[in-house]
Amino acid sequence: MIKEENKRMHAQVENVLRISKLDKNELNISKERLDLHELVEDAITHVELIVEDRKGYVKTHLKAEQTSVLANDTHFTNVIVNVLDNAIKYSDDAPKIDVYTENVGNNIIVKIADQGNGMSKAVAKRVFEKFYREHTGNVHNVKGHGLGLAYVKKIVEDHQGHISVESEKGKGSTFIIKMPLIS
């Protein structure tokens, strides 16, 4: 348990360092032409055992026909894993997650929708802020430092993309990532 917690803390320290480098525009992320559907599928493999263990599912609805983006394999996979991980963490019951893609203009839209706890409008406004965590009274059932989504937003923006969230308390959340296509 200590070893696992140590690994988690190390990953968080790395995230803090990455975010501070991103804040100073010092993180030179190398990017290459990648298939966004492959990144999504890869990210899902990172979480599928946890989802299966909790008797949930991750279903894909990959409808986008154009999927080439300029991205960093590791960082962009982390973006999707982070969002999926939150969907799992904030689902009290079996996590039910649907991942959609579609083309809109010269962009590809990725929607990651869960049927978890959801969040209020006030929380949704602040969820991408560094160290922001929703106050859940005295309940500490979800581990974390409020860094995951700050990192996600920074990486998406570094890729000339945009991320937003639509959510309602008790009705789940949908994270929407919009990325420019490359021809």
Side-chain angles (χ1 to χ4, degrees):
M1 214 172 170
I2 290 169
K3 204 180 260 183
E4 281 307 304
E5 196 58 18
N6 195 2
K7 263 201 274 191
R8 206 175 64 74
M9 287 304 299
H10 180 75
Q12 289 298 2
V13 169
E14 287 296 314
N15 271 346
V16 172
L17 293 173
R18 274 194 208 113
I19 289 170
S20 85
K21 280 187 165 184
L22 274 169
D23 283 343
K24 295 180 191 148
N25 294 320
E26 288 173 7
L27 194 59
N28 296 321
I29 300 175
S30 61
K31 299 175 186 93
E32 58 188 319
R33 178 194 200 92
L34 295 171
D35 181 326
L36 195 63
H37 283 174
E38 285 177 21
L39 294 176
V40 167
E41 297 284 1
D42 187 35
I44 290 169
T45 63
H46 285 55
V47 299
E48 63 191 352
L49 286 177
I50 304 161
V51 173
E52 282 170 24
D53 187 51
R54 295 209 21 219
K55 312 274 186 272
Y57 66 76
V58 179
K59 288 183 186 161
T60 56
H61 314 270
L62 309 179
K63 303 272 193 267
E65 288 176 21
Q66 293 168 301
T67 59
S68 290
V69 294
L70 193 60
N72 177 283
D73 191 3
T74 308
H75 285 287
F76 215 82
T77 302
N78 282 344
V79 161
I80 299 163
V81 168
N82 258 314
V83 176
L84 290 169
D85 198 38
N86 277 352
I88 296 162
K89 277 199 255 185
Y90 291 99
S91 292
D92 292 337
D93 303 321
K96 297 181 178 101
I97 305 163
D98 289 277
V99 182
Y100 304 87
T101 65
E102 64 178 318
N103 291 125
V104 176
N106 293 330
N107 298 293
I108 183 167
I109 310 286
V110 181
K111 291 183 181 178
I112 301 171
D114 66 58
Q115 297 173 33
N117 306 347
M119 59 188 114
S120 67
K121 296 258 182 280
V123 171
K125 268 193 190 118
R126 300 192 58 198
V127 80
F128 296 106
E129 290 175 20
K130 217 185 302 183
F131 302 114
Y132 179 75
R133 304 238 10 236
E134 182 177 7
H135 296 292
T136 52
N138 217 3
V139 184
H140 299 290
N141 56 340
V142 177
K143 290 188 169 97
H145 302 283
L147 288 170
L149 290 176
Y151 163 75
V152 162
K153 184 176 177 15
K154 281 279 182 202
I155 296 296
V156 169
E157 288 174 351
D158 184 72
H159 284 73
Q160 276 67 59
H162 179 266
I163 185 164
S164 59
V165 64
E166 292 170 0
S167 187
E168 200 177 318
K169 200 87 181 124
K171 296 201 176 164
S173 302
T174 302
F175 283 84
I176 301 141
I177 302 168
K178 179 176 162 187
M179 289 284 293
L181 290 163
I182 57 168
S183 45

